Amino acid sequence: MPRSPEQIQQEIDAARESLGSTLDELAYRTNPTRLKAQGKAKAQAFLASPTGIAVESALGLVVTLVVTTKVVRRVRNRRRAKVVVGHTRRR
């Protein structure tokens, strides 16, 4: 049975309404301000959790070790360079 023009118009209007609500939902989900706030809230919640505190502590320890190692190596290399320079001048 063929559809009447009124039925076709109703289907078009329903599809348009559905598409409009879908677009509104996509606009809400992809709103940069909302995503930023949501990400910030999740990060703060994670960092306040016991796991987040442990990760933060471990990261701090790793950074401290890396910086300390670099400083110690730099000091040692400078001392070695002074010894080598001083040694060659004596000859």
Side-chain angles (χ1 to χ4, degrees):
M1 177 153 115
R3 296 180 297 177
S4 70
E6 292 82 22
Q7 288 174 327
I8 295 172
Q9 185 62 44
Q10 287 175 351
E11 289 174 12
I12 291 172
D13 291 341
R16 185 177 291 135
E17 182 69 29
S18 175
L19 181 60
S21 68
T22 301
L23 288 175
D24 289 342
E25 180 67 23
L26 287 173
Y28 172 76
R29 287 184 182 183
T30 59
N31 183 315
T33 304
R34 190 189 67 77
L35 290 174
K36 177 183 166 186
Q38 184 181 17
K40 182 179 177 181
K42 284 184 178 182
Q44 287 175 338
F46 173 74
L47 292 175
S49 72
T51 305
I53 293 170
V55 167
E56 212 175 340
S57 299
L59 184 60
L61 179 62
V62 167
V63 168
T64 301
L65 290 173
V66 168
V67 169
T68 303
T69 302
K70 287 190 173 267
V71 168
V72 167
R73 285 183 180 170
R74 182 171 288 168
V75 168
R76 284 183 182 169
N77 287 339
R78 285 185 181 175
R79 285 184 183 168
R80 288 181 189 153
K82 285 181 182 179
V83 170
V84 169
V85 169
H87 183 67
T88 56
R89 287 184 181 172
R90 290 183 187 169
R91 288 186 178 177

